[in-house]
Each structure stands twice: as C-alpha cells, then as structure tokens.
Amino acid sequence: MHCTALQSVCLVLPGAALLAGWAVGRALGIDEVTSATYLVSSALCIAAIACLSKQESARTGNALGLIGVTGGVAATLGGLQADPATYAQIIASLGAGGFVGNQIASRINITDLPQMVAAYHSLVGLAAAVTSIANIMILADAGHDMDGVHMVTAFLGDIIGAITLTGSAVAFGKLQGILDSKPLNLPGKNVINLGLLGAVLACGGLFLTTPDPGFGVNMLWATAALGGVLGAHLTASIGGADMPVVITLLNSYSGYALCAEGFMLNNDLITTVGALIGSSGAILSYIMCKAMNRSLLNVIFGGYGTSTGGKAAVVTGTHQEVSVPEAADALTTASKVLIVPGYGLAVANAQHSIAELTKMLKKKDIEVEFGIHPVAGRMPGQLNVLLAEAGVPYDVVFEMDEVNEHMDKYDVVVVMGANDTVNSSALEDPNSVIAGMPVIEVWKAKQVIFCKRSMGVGYAGADNPVFYKPNTWMLLGDAKATTDHLKAKLQEVLHV
C-alpha cells in the first residue's frame, strides 16, 4: 500500500477503537478495563518490535508502538481518579514535554541522532531514579509497610536509573564533541569501579534491612549518587569507537530501569515495555560485540585505545589519487559495483546524491549493491536509515558477511566516508587498536575507490593500509561534492 493518507486512517482506527473501548468500560464501571487496556497496549508494543525487524514494515511498527503507548498513558490517567488540579499539572507537563520533544525531533539533523538518543536515555534514567526515591518517600511518610519485592525493585530502579542518567550524559558529550572521545584511563580504574559497586551494594543492603524509613530514603539518595559516579566513570573510560555499543547498552539499561519501575508501581504495561527495551538492547549489544569480535565486558572495562600490547605496525606507502573523470570511467566500464557507506556519508549529507548516482548506473544495466558494517556510523542502523530516507531499495542493501562472501566478484568498490570498518589492519596487525574486528574486505575487489575528505585516520585512530594497496584509488574531497561531480560526469558519459 502506497497511499499515505489511507495508511494513516488504517492506523488511527485501531488506536481510536482502543481508547473508545477503555472509555466505555470505565463508563460501565468495569474495573478490569484498565488491565485489559494495558494488555492490548503491551501486545501492540510487542508487535511494534516485530515490525521494526524489517525496513519495509518499520513505519508500521512505529505507528503500532505509538498507539500502544498512547493507550497506556490514557488508561493510566483515567485510573488515577485524581482531583482536577492534579490532572491539570499532569496534562500541562505532558503538553510541555510533547512540545519540546517535537521541536527537538523536527529540527535535529539525522547525523545527530546518536546524540539525541543518548540524551533521551539520560532522561529515562533520571525519571527512573527520581520515581523510585519519591515512591519510597511517599510510602514512608504514610507509614505503610513495604514488601520485599517493592523495596528490591525500588533499589534496582534507583541504581540502574542513576547509571543510565550519567552514563548517557557522558556518551552525549563524547558524541557531540563536548568531551574527549578518547577513553579516560585513571590509575586503577577497575578498582575504582569495584569500589563504587561495593559501596552501592552496601547502601542497598542497608536500605533493605533498616527499620527506619527516613534512613532508608537516605540510602536511596546515596545509591543514586554513587551510581551516578559509577555510570559516568564507566562511560568515560570507553573510547569513542565503542560508542555504538554504548548506545545500545544504555538503551538496555533504560529498559531494565523501566521494568523495575513497573514491578514497583504494579503496572503491567511499564513492566512489559521495559522488558522489551531491555532485552532488545541487550541482544543488539551482543550482536554488535560479535561483529567486532569483542566481549561486552571487554567493551565496558577495556575498549579501543586501552590496549597494553605491542605497538601497531607503521603503515607506509604511496597512495594513488584519482580524478573524477577517471573514477567515472571505472564505474561506467564495470558490470558490478559495491558501495560501502560510512559516517562520512552521513556528515556530508550525501545519501540523496549517492542514491541518484545508483539509479543512473542501474539504468545502464550496471548492477549496484550496498554493503553496511554492523557498527557503521555512530548508532546501530544509522546508515540503513540514511539510505532508506534517500529511496535506496531495501533489496540491494546487504550486511558485511553477505558481501564479503563474493567480494572478488565486484569490479569496483566505492567506499564513501568509511574507514575503520574497511581497515585491513584489523585482520593483518595483531597490535592494531582494532585487531580482531571483522571488517568489510574491500581490498579483495578488483578496484577500490575511497571517497573521503583526507588521508586521515578513522574514529578509532588506526592507520588504514588499504589506502596504499595497488588496486586502491583515493578520490579526496567532501563526500557530497565528490558524488555530485561524479553524478554530473556520469550524466555526460551515459547520457541519462
């Protein structure tokens, strides 16, 4: 279905039906309608995750998730039975938050999505920690006894939320360039981490065992403070090259914090959504670590740039620069072309130009495919989103393993703004900072053309020997400008 208006109507109807069903149930005095609405909203969120597994259905997944969350928020508000003044405060807060979020999302550059995600994760962590402490304060002031499950989940929401808050803030700073992307290597950093963890567990033990509610609240505040320091130190000790994994890991943390909140508040929807976010983030972190041939513990407590091994091999040689006409000639005489995009493509906003160039080549029966590394860009899926936005068909976009299997079949590989993900030293130099990381083995193709701004290193700081291989040409310059020049030359040569 390609009719956007009809799609919108089809997606609005289920949401309207969900809200109408809840309203009718409330009007008839059916107390179970809130739980039933939570169940349907949870199912919609689960369906949303399933739809997000494929690019073709991702937009539907977003809509289903929006409907599910909206139904849950409406059911929660209706079930509060609060006074008008309280409702006014809640609605005003929701309106203000929605307005600010909409303004940020509508103005953000697609290259800044990783920073935005990190910033939003910090807000989730803040909400989890504050809600945990506030909930215990309310119960303590009211003189209510707290069961073990309630206290344990409050502690978990507090500590995970605090770690997520400061860890995400540091990740934002690294990605935005406010903080140095290099890992912070304090002497005895792992001892510091273990000491902070021990202090957090001690505060948790005192909170769970004290008969004094006031002292228990103080222990939660101490837990939040220590957890905040731990989260900041852990993330600061991770280099910028590992930020894609850090983003998914913090996403997982925020989900588990939500899950704990759901148990604490006895809210099935929050528990379900939190479990979905936590588990999906953990799975994605595992997939990305596997793609880098690293363990998650190595990322958290080690990281690129923290190796104490031997010195990386010195990369020497003379590179071959090529002109736009020469590059265009190589493309027009090829029968099969692979394009490998990287973060430089996103920075230059060259996705539309490369999509148009692809269409021109395909009109002349030149087969064009795209190969994307699992950790390309600074956030999982960032390059996939860029290509989809530019209208590149899903069926010509392949993963690293799929293109590596037949790399020698490509006549030309165009590397557009990528470096670390196509660096042969990962496989050839055991002392390289990216040693062991699987990469797209572009050097095995018949001809490689690097389109990048300069001969500089990538985000991991590793020199790339592929620049100096005999089958490599360097087409230096801004990715968008270079692609536009290539496109103009192809139009002239191919008459399209």
Side-chain angles (χ1 to χ4, degrees), residues 123-366:
L123 295 179
V124 175
L126 174 63
V130 170
T131 302
S132 295
I133 297 173
N135 192 260
I136 296 301
M137 290 176 69
I138 291 171
L139 293 177
D141 290 342
H144 292 302
D145 291 331
M146 291 170 285
D147 59 88
V149 172
H150 192 108
M151 295 183 69
V152 168
T153 52
F155 169 73
L156 291 176
D158 184 31
I159 179 59
I160 299 174
I163 291 174
T164 305
L165 166 62
T166 56
S168 298
V170 172
F172 171 84
K174 283 177 174 280
L175 292 169
Q176 189 66 19
I178 299 172
L179 301 176
D180 193 342
S181 65
K182 293 180 180 179
L184 176 67
N185 284 316
L186 294 179
K189 64 176 185 178
N190 289 333
V191 175
I192 295 174
N193 291 332
L194 290 174
L196 288 169
L197 179 60
V200 164
L201 294 176
C203 289
L206 292 171
F207 165 68
L208 294 172
T209 57
T210 182
D212 183 356
F215 181 74
V217 171
N218 289 335
M219 287 300 97
L220 281 184
W221 281 114
T223 297
L226 291 167
V229 175
L230 178 60
H233 182 247
L234 280 172
T235 309
S237 299
I238 300 173
D242 282 328
M243 280 302 112
V245 180
V246 174
I247 292 292
T248 60
L249 188 61
L250 290 169
N251 178 67
S252 179
Y253 289 172
S254 68
Y256 291 134
L258 273 180
C259 192
E261 296 293 292
F263 278 109
M264 183 185 71
L265 300 173
N266 196 27
N267 188 303
D268 296 337
L269 178 59
I270 296 179
T271 302
T272 302
V273 172
L276 284 173
I277 296 172
S279 57
S280 60
I283 292 170
L284 187 54
S285 298
Y286 168 77
I287 291 172
M288 297 183 70
C289 285
K290 185 177 179 182
M292 297 190 298
N293 195 32
R294 315 256 308 285
S295 69
L296 189 57
L297 288 178
N298 178 257
V299 171
I300 297 173
F301 297 111
Y304 290 141
T306 62
S307 173
T308 57
K311 188 176 180 180
V314 177
V315 177
T316 58
T318 303
H319 69 276
Q320 305 176 67
E321 287 195 35
V322 66
S323 65
V324 169
E326 290 172 309
D329 181 64
L331 290 172
T332 55
T333 56
S335 59
K336 191 170 185 177
V337 174
L338 176 70
I339 299 174
V340 180
Y343 186 65
L345 175 78
V347 172
N349 200 28
Q351 65 270 22
H352 295 283
S353 297
I354 203 71
E356 293 173 14
L357 186 148
T358 300
K359 291 177 182 177
M360 294 170 58
L361 293 174
K362 293 180 77 171
K363 283 182 180 178
K364 292 300 180 179
D365 297 323
I366 298 173

